Amino acid sequence: MAKKKKRHKQTQSQASGKTVDLDDPSLYINRELSWLRFNHRVLEEALDERHPLLERIKFLAIFANNLDEFFMIRVSGLRRQLAAGVLEAPPDGMTPTEQLAAIRRELLPELTRQSDCWHYDLLPKLREAGIKVLRYDGLKRKQRKLLRRYFEQEIFPVLTPLAFDPGHPFPHISNLSINLAVVINDPLHGERFARLKVPGTFPRLLRIPSEETADEYQSLGLAEATSNNFVWLEEVVGANLDMLFPGIEVVAAYPFRITRDADPEIEQDEAADLLTAIQESVRMRHFGSAVRLEVDSTMPERVRDILVTNLGLAPYQVYTADGPIGMADLMELTRIDRPDLRDRPFQPAVPPPLSTEESAFSAIHRRNILLYHPYDSFAPVVDFIREAARDPDVLAIKQTLYRVGPNSPIVAALMEARENGKQVAVLVELKARFDEENNIVWAQALERAGVHVVYGLLGLKTHAKICLVVRRERDGITRYVHMSTGNYNGVTARIYTDIGYFTCDPAIGDDVSDLFNALTGYSHRDEYRKLLVAPGEMRQQILDRIEREIKRHRQHGDGYLAFKMNALVDKSCIQALYRASQAGVKVDLQVRGICCLRPGVPGVSENITVTSIVGRFLEHPRIFYFRNDGEEEILLGSADLMPRNLDRRVEQLFPIEDPNLREALRDHILGVHLKDNVQARRLLPDGRYKRVRPQSDEPATNSQLWMIEHRGIWHGEE
C-alpha cells in the first residue's frame, strides 16, 4: 500500500517526461474561493441583459441567499477551525486564517457589484416596466398617511423594542432577521440605544397604492392594494417610531442584520434518538455564534461599535451595505404577475410509453425509461407511486426522501399506499440542511399513517434517491425501481435539471433491496451487482475505472472521460484525473459549482477542460462517461466527487446499459452540454472563469434552450 501511495504522489507526464508531485498545493484550487467564483457566475446572470427583467431579479436574490448559507455553514466552519487550532490544511494548503482573509478580499468587490446592479441597473429598469420600489421619504402625503394607519393597526401591535443600558442586557438577535438600531434622546438620561426587530410575518416589500389611487384604499385597507408600487418594510417601521417611543425624541434608526453559525455540532450518540438530536440542532441554529454583521452605510461608528462589541465580532466580520441589506428578499418581486418579464414557459414532455392509459408497470416491464427534468414532466414519477399505492398486486413500497417540499404528492401517495394495506418503508433524511423542520413534519405524518419511518443513519446522511416497488406478477415477484440524480420534490423538479430512470432489471432490483436492508436494518454489504454505493467501494470503483481508461489509452490511444457533476473536491479523484491527463487521456469535466482541480497546467492537466453552466435552470445531474475502448459505460446518480459524498453519505450510482438510452445520454444530454458556448464558462489555470464564445465556424449553442426545443429526443425511441 505504501508503494502505491508513493506512486500516486510522484507521477510522470507522458508528454514532458517530467516527474510531478501531485501533492503540490499549487495544483489545487481552494474550495471556498471556488465556491465564491461559482456565486460570481450567479451574479453575472443578474447582470446579463439577455435575461428577462424578473429573471435577473431572481438571480440577484439567489446570489444573496447563497451568500447567507455560505456564511452560516462554510465561514462558521472556518471560524470553528480557527478557534480549535486546527492545523490540518486542505489540499491547496491554505490555513483557516488565510482562507477567511481571502474570502473577504474576494467578496468585497462582489458586494459592490451586487449593490450597483440593484441601484443603477435593475431598479431603474423596474421603474421603466411599471414596477416601483420606492423610498419612504419619497412617497406622497396620501401614501404616507395610508402606511401610517396600516402601521398603527397591523404592525405596531407586533413590535417589541428592547432597550440596552445598564439595567437592560444586550438582547438576543435572531439569525438573518432585519433589525433597527434605534438611537433615542431621553430627556432624563441622554442618548440611549434600543434594538427593534422588524417582524418577519409581513412581506419585506409592502405593496402600496399609487398616489392617484391612495384615496380609494382609505376604507379598503392596504392589503387590498393591487398596484406594483412597493416600499421596504423597515423604512415604514423606521418612519413611525414615534408611536413606540412617545415623549422621547427618536434621533435615527439604522438597519442591520446578523448571520449566525447554523451548523451546530450535535452529539447524536448521546441523544435519545436521531429525531431528538435533529430537533435540538434546529433549535440551536437560532443561538449559534455570530459570524457576520451587515449594517447600513449610514450607521455611525459609535452605533456600529455597540453591535460589534456585544456580538463578540472582529472588524473584518462587518460588511457595510448601501441598502438594502438582506437582498435575498428581492425574490418577492419575482411573484409579480408579469409574464412579459419572465422566461417563456414551455410544456414538459412525457415519454411515449408513459403517455397512454397503459399501466406504468407494463411500460417499464417492456423497456427501461429515462426522464430528464424539467424538460420532461415530473408527473410520471408521482403517477408511478400513486399507481403502486392503488394496485392490488403491489405488496410493498420502499423509498428515500431527502428534500420533500411542501404539499408533497409523493408523501400523500405513500400514505395512501399504507391505507390500502401495502407495506411501506420510508427513509426520511432529517439531516438535509435547512429542510430539517419540513422533513420532521413529513416524517411524523408518515408515522401517524402507519408507515415504517427510518430517520436516517447515525453519522451519515442518506442522499441516495431511490424508490422500490415490489409487485406480485404471473411469473413471480418483480421489483420495479426508480432512481434519480435529484430529489422527490415536484417544486425543485421544475427548476433543477435532473435525470430519473425506471427499470425492472432483476440485478438492480436485488441491489436496491440489499441497500434498503442496510438502511433500515443491520445488514452490511460493500459489493453490489451493478450499483456503486457509498460509503464503501464507490470511490475505489471510480478510481479503478479511471485507471482502466488510462490503460486502454496506452494500448489504443483513444482514451476519453467526460464527467458532469455539481462539485469536484475529492483529492484522490482529482489526482486520478491528473494521472489520466498525464497519460494523454482527454478529459472533459463540467462542474457547476466547486472545482478544486486546476486544468491546463503543463505536464499535469493540459488534457483536461473544465466548464460550468449557470442558466435558467440549476444544473444538477451527475453523469460519468467512460469510453472504455468502445465498450462505453455511463453511470448516473446522486454522488458528487467530494469527501462528504464518498465517505459520509449514503449515495448510489447506477449504470445505463440500454444502448439506445446510453447513446441518447451521450449525444443529446452530455454531449450538448459540453458544446455549450452561450451559458458555459471555462475554468482557467489561475482559478478564474471565462465565458465560452462560439468560434467563427460553429453555431451558438445554449444547452438549456436546446433541451427545451428538442425535449424528448433522449427517450431512446428506435
Side-chain angles (χ1 to χ4, degrees), residues 49 53-54 56-57 118-134 228-229 338 340-341:
E49 295 187 359
L53 185 55
L54 291 182
R56 297 179 64 193
I57 299 288
W118 171 246
H119 287 291
Y120 305 121
D121 186 358
L122 297 180
L123 201 55
K125 286 184 171 62
L126 283 170
R127 181 180 289 272
E128 291 172 8
I131 301 170
K132 299 177 182 178
V133 180
L134 304 166
N228 284 329
N229 293 332
R338 287 290 300 273
D340 58 312
L341 302 179

mmCIF file of all heavy atoms in Angstrom, residues 49 53-54 56-57 118-134 228-229 338 340-341:
data_model
loop_
_atom_site.group_PDB
_atom_site.id
_atom_site.type_symbol
_atom_site.label_atom_id
_atom_site.label_comp_id
_atom_site.label_asym_id
_atom_site.label_seq_id
_atom_site.Cartn_x
_atom_site.Cartn_y
_atom_site.Cartn_z
ATOM 1 N N GLU A 49 -28.128 41.249 -19.576
ATOM 2 C CA GLU A 49 -29.345 41.862 -20.108
ATOM 3 C C GLU A 49 -30.094 40.964 -21.087
ATOM 4 O O GLU A 49 -31.200 41.307 -21.509
ATOM 5 C CB GLU A 49 -28.999 43.198 -20.772
ATOM 6 C CG GLU A 49 -28.473 44.237 -19.793
ATOM 7 C CD GLU A 49 -28.290 45.602 -20.428
ATOM 8 O OE1 GLU A 49 -28.562 45.725 -21.639
ATOM 9 O OE2 GLU A 49 -27.887 46.532 -19.711
ATOM 10 N N LEU A 53 -36.327 40.726 -17.213
ATOM 11 C CA LEU A 53 -36.028 41.544 -16.036
ATOM 12 C C LEU A 53 -36.261 40.809 -14.717
ATOM 13 O O LEU A 53 -35.412 40.848 -13.814
ATOM 14 C CB LEU A 53 -36.872 42.827 -16.084
ATOM 15 C CG LEU A 53 -36.602 43.855 -14.987
ATOM 16 C CD1 LEU A 53 -35.128 44.245 -14.947
ATOM 17 C CD2 LEU A 53 -37.476 45.085 -15.208
ATOM 18 N N LEU A 54 -37.404 40.158 -14.558
ATOM 19 C CA LEU A 54 -37.674 39.482 -13.286
ATOM 20 C C LEU A 54 -36.773 38.267 -13.083
ATOM 21 O O LEU A 54 -36.527 37.866 -11.939
ATOM 22 C CB LEU A 54 -39.147 39.088 -13.193
ATOM 23 C CG LEU A 54 -40.132 40.253 -13.053
ATOM 24 C CD1 LEU A 54 -41.556 39.750 -12.912
ATOM 25 C CD2 LEU A 54 -39.764 41.152 -11.866
ATOM 26 N N ARG A 56 -33.622 38.348 -13.912
ATOM 27 C CA ARG A 56 -32.405 38.967 -13.395
ATOM 28 C C ARG A 56 -32.546 39.264 -11.904
ATOM 29 O O ARG A 56 -31.594 39.079 -11.128
ATOM 30 C CB ARG A 56 -32.096 40.250 -14.174
ATOM 31 C CG ARG A 56 -31.798 40.013 -15.656
ATOM 32 C CD ARG A 56 -31.532 41.331 -16.383
ATOM 33 N NE ARG A 56 -30.339 41.979 -15.854
ATOM 34 C CZ ARG A 56 -29.997 43.232 -16.113
ATOM 35 N NH1 ARG A 56 -30.779 43.991 -16.898
ATOM 36 N NH2 ARG A 56 -28.905 43.743 -15.608
ATOM 37 N N ILE A 57 -33.729 39.713 -11.508
ATOM 38 C CA ILE A 57 -34.001 39.913 -10.070
ATOM 39 C C ILE A 57 -33.831 38.597 -9.329
ATOM 40 O O ILE A 57 -33.264 38.543 -8.228
ATOM 41 C CB ILE A 57 -35.433 40.460 -9.866
ATOM 42 C CG1 ILE A 57 -35.615 41.814 -10.561
ATOM 43 C CG2 ILE A 57 -35.774 40.540 -8.387
ATOM 44 C CD1 ILE A 57 -34.901 42.955 -9.911
ATOM 45 N N TRP A 118 -28.240 46.498 -8.457
ATOM 46 C CA TRP A 118 -29.582 46.825 -7.984
ATOM 47 C C TRP A 118 -29.904 48.303 -8.195
ATOM 48 O O TRP A 118 -30.919 48.647 -8.800
ATOM 49 C CB TRP A 118 -29.727 46.446 -6.516
ATOM 50 C CG TRP A 118 -30.992 46.947 -5.877
ATOM 51 C CD1 TRP A 118 -31.107 47.878 -4.888
ATOM 52 C CD2 TRP A 118 -32.338 46.558 -6.214
ATOM 53 N NE1 TRP A 118 -32.426 48.087 -4.565
ATOM 54 C CE2 TRP A 118 -33.202 47.292 -5.371
ATOM 55 C CE3 TRP A 118 -32.892 45.680 -7.131
ATOM 56 C CZ2 TRP A 118 -34.592 47.166 -5.421
ATOM 57 C CZ3 TRP A 118 -34.279 45.544 -7.186
ATOM 58 C CH2 TRP A 118 -35.100 46.283 -6.346
ATOM 59 N N HIS A 119 -29.043 49.186 -7.716
ATOM 60 C CA HIS A 119 -29.350 50.616 -7.707
ATOM 61 C C HIS A 119 -29.317 51.251 -9.094
ATOM 62 O O HIS A 119 -30.181 52.092 -9.412
ATOM 63 C CB HIS A 119 -28.368 51.354 -6.791
ATOM 64 C CG HIS A 119 -28.611 51.112 -5.337
ATOM 65 N ND1 HIS A 119 -29.719 51.582 -4.664
ATOM 66 C CD2 HIS A 119 -27.890 50.433 -4.405
ATOM 67 C CE1 HIS A 119 -29.674 51.216 -3.400
ATOM 68 N NE2 HIS A 119 -28.572 50.513 -3.212
ATOM 69 N N TYR A 120 -28.338 50.865 -9.906
ATOM 70 C CA TYR A 120 -28.108 51.593 -11.151
ATOM 71 C C TYR A 120 -28.569 50.848 -12.406
ATOM 72 O O TYR A 120 -28.559 51.423 -13.495
ATOM 73 C CB TYR A 120 -26.621 51.940 -11.285
ATOM 74 C CG TYR A 120 -26.094 52.691 -10.082
ATOM 75 C CD1 TYR A 120 -25.042 52.184 -9.321
ATOM 76 C CD2 TYR A 120 -26.680 53.893 -9.687
ATOM 77 C CE1 TYR A 120 -24.570 52.871 -8.206
ATOM 78 C CE2 TYR A 120 -26.220 54.576 -8.570
ATOM 79 C CZ TYR A 120 -25.167 54.056 -7.835
ATOM 80 O OH TYR A 120 -24.714 54.728 -6.730
ATOM 81 N N ASP A 121 -28.962 49.601 -12.243
ATOM 82 C CA ASP A 121 -29.368 48.817 -13.403
ATOM 83 C C ASP A 121 -30.802 48.310 -13.246
ATOM 84 O O ASP A 121 -31.711 48.723 -13.975
ATOM 85 C CB ASP A 121 -28.389 47.649 -13.592
ATOM 86 C CG ASP A 121 -28.641 46.866 -14.866
ATOM 87 O OD1 ASP A 121 -29.594 47.184 -15.601
ATOM 88 O OD2 ASP A 121 -27.889 45.905 -15.140
ATOM 89 N N LEU A 122 -31.021 47.448 -12.269
ATOM 90 C CA LEU A 122 -32.330 46.799 -12.153
ATOM 91 C C LEU A 122 -33.418 47.735 -11.649
ATOM 92 O O LEU A 122 -34.548 47.712 -12.159
ATOM 93 C CB LEU A 122 -32.213 45.581 -11.236
ATOM 94 C CG LEU A 122 -31.280 44.474 -11.739
ATOM 95 C CD1 LEU A 122 -31.238 43.317 -10.750
ATOM 96 C CD2 LEU A 122 -31.716 43.975 -13.100
ATOM 97 N N LEU A 123 -33.107 48.555 -10.669
ATOM 98 C CA LEU A 123 -34.125 49.450 -10.105
ATOM 99 C C LEU A 123 -34.670 50.420 -11.154
ATOM 100 O O LEU A 123 -35.899 50.563 -11.292
ATOM 101 C CB LEU A 123 -33.526 50.195 -8.907
ATOM 102 C CG LEU A 123 -34.495 50.796 -7.884
ATOM 103 C CD1 LEU A 123 -35.456 49.754 -7.345
ATOM 104 C CD2 LEU A 123 -33.713 51.424 -6.730
ATOM 105 N N PRO A 124 -33.821 51.082 -11.937
ATOM 106 C CA PRO A 124 -34.373 51.947 -12.998
ATOM 107 C C PRO A 124 -35.164 51.170 -14.053
ATOM 108 O O PRO A 124 -36.192 51.657 -14.547
ATOM 109 C CB PRO A 124 -33.117 52.583 -13.615
ATOM 110 C CG PRO A 124 -32.076 52.505 -12.554
ATOM 111 C CD PRO A 124 -32.351 51.237 -11.826
ATOM 112 N N LYS A 125 -34.718 49.965 -14.387
ATOM 113 C CA LYS A 125 -35.435 49.180 -15.401
ATOM 114 C C LYS A 125 -36.784 48.708 -14.869
ATOM 115 O O LYS A 125 -37.770 48.602 -15.626
ATOM 116 C CB LYS A 125 -34.578 47.999 -15.859
ATOM 117 C CG LYS A 125 -33.425 48.411 -16.778
ATOM 118 C CD LYS A 125 -32.667 47.208 -17.292
ATOM 119 C CE LYS A 125 -31.661 47.591 -18.379
ATOM 120 N NZ LYS A 125 -30.624 48.511 -17.902
ATOM 121 N N LEU A 126 -36.852 48.413 -13.581
ATOM 122 C CA LEU A 126 -38.143 48.066 -12.983
ATOM 123 C C LEU A 126 -39.109 49.243 -13.090
ATOM 124 O O LEU A 126 -40.288 49.074 -13.432
ATOM 125 C CB LEU A 126 -37.961 47.670 -11.513
ATOM 126 C CG LEU A 126 -37.406 46.268 -11.230
ATOM 127 C CD1 LEU A 126 -37.048 46.131 -9.754
ATOM 128 C CD2 LEU A 126 -38.411 45.186 -11.619
ATOM 129 N N ARG A 127 -38.603 50.423 -12.807
ATOM 130 C CA ARG A 127 -39.457 51.620 -12.894
ATOM 131 C C ARG A 127 -39.965 51.808 -14.326
ATOM 132 O O ARG A 127 -41.142 52.111 -14.536
ATOM 133 C CB ARG A 127 -38.675 52.847 -12.422
ATOM 134 C CG ARG A 127 -39.481 54.151 -12.455
ATOM 135 C CD ARG A 127 -38.648 55.320 -11.964
ATOM 136 N NE ARG A 127 -38.424 55.243 -10.533
ATOM 137 C CZ ARG A 127 -39.247 55.755 -9.613
ATOM 138 N NH1 ARG A 127 -40.354 56.385 -10.002
ATOM 139 N NH2 ARG A 127 -38.975 55.658 -8.336
ATOM 140 N N GLU A 128 -39.077 51.604 -15.300
ATOM 141 C CA GLU A 128 -39.500 51.721 -16.696
ATOM 142 C C GLU A 128 -40.577 50.703 -17.042
ATOM 143 O O GLU A 128 -41.439 50.958 -17.890
ATOM 144 C CB GLU A 128 -38.289 51.513 -17.617
ATOM 145 C CG GLU A 128 -37.257 52.633 -17.560
ATOM 146 C CD GLU A 128 -35.997 52.276 -18.335
ATOM 147 O OE1 GLU A 128 -36.013 51.230 -19.031
ATOM 148 O OE2 GLU A 128 -35.007 53.025 -18.240
ATOM 149 N N ALA A 129 -40.536 49.545 -16.370
ATOM 150 C CA ALA A 129 -41.518 48.485 -16.642
ATOM 151 C C ALA A 129 -42.787 48.645 -15.810
ATOM 152 O O ALA A 129 -43.667 47.777 -15.862
ATOM 153 C CB ALA A 129 -40.880 47.125 -16.366
ATOM 154 N N GLY A 130 -42.882 49.738 -15.037
ATOM 155 C CA GLY A 130 -44.077 49.976 -14.248
ATOM 156 C C GLY A 130 -44.064 49.337 -12.875
ATOM 157 O O GLY A 130 -45.104 49.218 -12.228
ATOM 158 N N ILE A 131 -42.880 48.917 -12.409
ATOM 159 C CA ILE A 131 -42.727 48.333 -11.070
ATOM 160 C C ILE A 131 -41.814 49.260 -10.277
ATOM 161 O O ILE A 131 -40.642 49.443 -10.628
ATOM 162 C CB ILE A 131 -42.131 46.918 -11.141
ATOM 163 C CG1 ILE A 131 -43.031 46.004 -11.977
ATOM 164 C CG2 ILE A 131 -41.940 46.335 -9.742
ATOM 165 C CD1 ILE A 131 -42.401 44.665 -12.309
ATOM 166 N N LYS A 132 -42.342 49.841 -9.217
ATOM 167 C CA LYS A 132 -41.587 50.846 -8.474
ATOM 168 C C LYS A 132 -41.311 50.363 -7.052
ATOM 169 O O LYS A 132 -42.234 50.010 -6.318
ATOM 170 C CB LYS A 132 -42.377 52.160 -8.415
ATOM 171 C CG LYS A 132 -42.669 52.757 -9.787
ATOM 172 C CD LYS A 132 -43.523 54.009 -9.658
ATOM 173 C CE LYS A 132 -43.869 54.591 -11.027
ATOM 174 N NZ LYS A 132 -44.737 55.774 -10.929
ATOM 175 N N VAL A 133 -40.026 50.331 -6.705
ATOM 176 C CA VAL A 133 -39.617 50.092 -5.322
ATOM 177 C C VAL A 133 -39.182 51.445 -4.788
ATOM 178 O O VAL A 133 -38.112 51.956 -5.138
ATOM 179 C CB VAL A 133 -38.491 49.053 -5.231
ATOM 180 C CG1 VAL A 133 -38.095 48.828 -3.773
ATOM 181 C CG2 VAL A 133 -38.934 47.732 -5.866
ATOM 182 N N LEU A 134 -40.032 52.037 -3.972
ATOM 183 C CA LEU A 134 -39.893 53.440 -3.588
ATOM 184 C C LEU A 134 -39.244 53.596 -2.225
ATOM 185 O O LEU A 134 -39.368 52.727 -1.351
ATOM 186 C CB LEU A 134 -41.277 54.102 -3.583
ATOM 187 C CG LEU A 134 -42.042 54.000 -4.916
ATOM 188 C CD1 LEU A 134 -43.502 54.361 -4.711
ATOM 189 C CD2 LEU A 134 -41.407 54.913 -5.953
ATOM 190 N N ASN A 228 -48.254 47.879 -8.560
ATOM 191 C CA ASN A 228 -46.898 47.345 -8.471
ATOM 192 C C ASN A 228 -45.953 48.391 -7.895
ATOM 193 O O ASN A 228 -44.827 48.571 -8.362
ATOM 194 C CB ASN A 228 -46.424 46.861 -9.837
ATOM 195 C CG ASN A 228 -47.059 45.532 -10.218
ATOM 196 O OD1 ASN A 228 -47.365 44.714 -9.349
ATOM 197 N ND2 ASN A 228 -47.273 45.324 -11.505
ATOM 198 N N ASN A 229 -46.443 49.097 -6.868
ATOM 199 C CA ASN A 229 -45.615 50.013 -6.087
ATOM 200 C C ASN A 229 -45.271 49.328 -4.767
ATOM 201 O O ASN A 229 -46.155 48.761 -4.111
ATOM 202 C CB ASN A 229 -46.357 51.316 -5.793
ATOM 203 C CG ASN A 229 -46.616 52.120 -7.051
ATOM 204 O OD1 ASN A 229 -45.869 52.040 -8.019
ATOM 205 N ND2 ASN A 229 -47.689 52.902 -7.040
ATOM 206 N N ARG A 338 -46.277 39.246 -14.182
ATOM 207 C CA ARG A 338 -45.841 39.925 -15.408
ATOM 208 C C ARG A 338 -45.137 38.898 -16.295
ATOM 209 O O ARG A 338 -43.904 38.844 -16.342
ATOM 210 C CB ARG A 338 -44.917 41.088 -15.068
ATOM 211 C CG ARG A 338 -45.617 42.299 -14.461
ATOM 212 C CD ARG A 338 -46.486 43.036 -15.477
ATOM 213 N NE ARG A 338 -45.696 43.520 -16.597
ATOM 214 C CZ ARG A 338 -45.068 44.703 -16.615
ATOM 215 N NH1 ARG A 338 -45.169 45.518 -15.566
ATOM 216 N NH2 ARG A 338 -44.376 45.086 -17.672
ATOM 217 N N ASP A 340 -44.548 38.910 -19.281
ATOM 218 C CA ASP A 340 -43.666 39.534 -20.270
ATOM 219 C C ASP A 340 -42.274 39.793 -19.723
ATOM 220 O O ASP A 340 -41.338 40.058 -20.498
ATOM 221 C CB ASP A 340 -44.280 40.849 -20.752
ATOM 222 C CG ASP A 340 -44.533 41.823 -19.606
ATOM 223 O OD1 ASP A 340 -45.114 41.402 -18.579
ATOM 224 O OD2 ASP A 340 -44.151 43.006 -19.727
ATOM 225 N N LEU A 341 -42.117 39.707 -18.400
ATOM 226 C CA LEU A 341 -40.823 39.951 -17.775
ATOM 227 C C LEU A 341 -40.199 38.657 -17.252
ATOM 228 O O LEU A 341 -39.262 38.687 -16.460
ATOM 229 C CB LEU A 341 -40.961 40.954 -16.621
ATOM 230 C CG LEU A 341 -41.546 42.319 -16.980
ATOM 231 C CD1 LEU A 341 -41.639 43.190 -15.740
ATOM 232 C CD2 LEU A 341 -40.720 43.005 -18.069
#
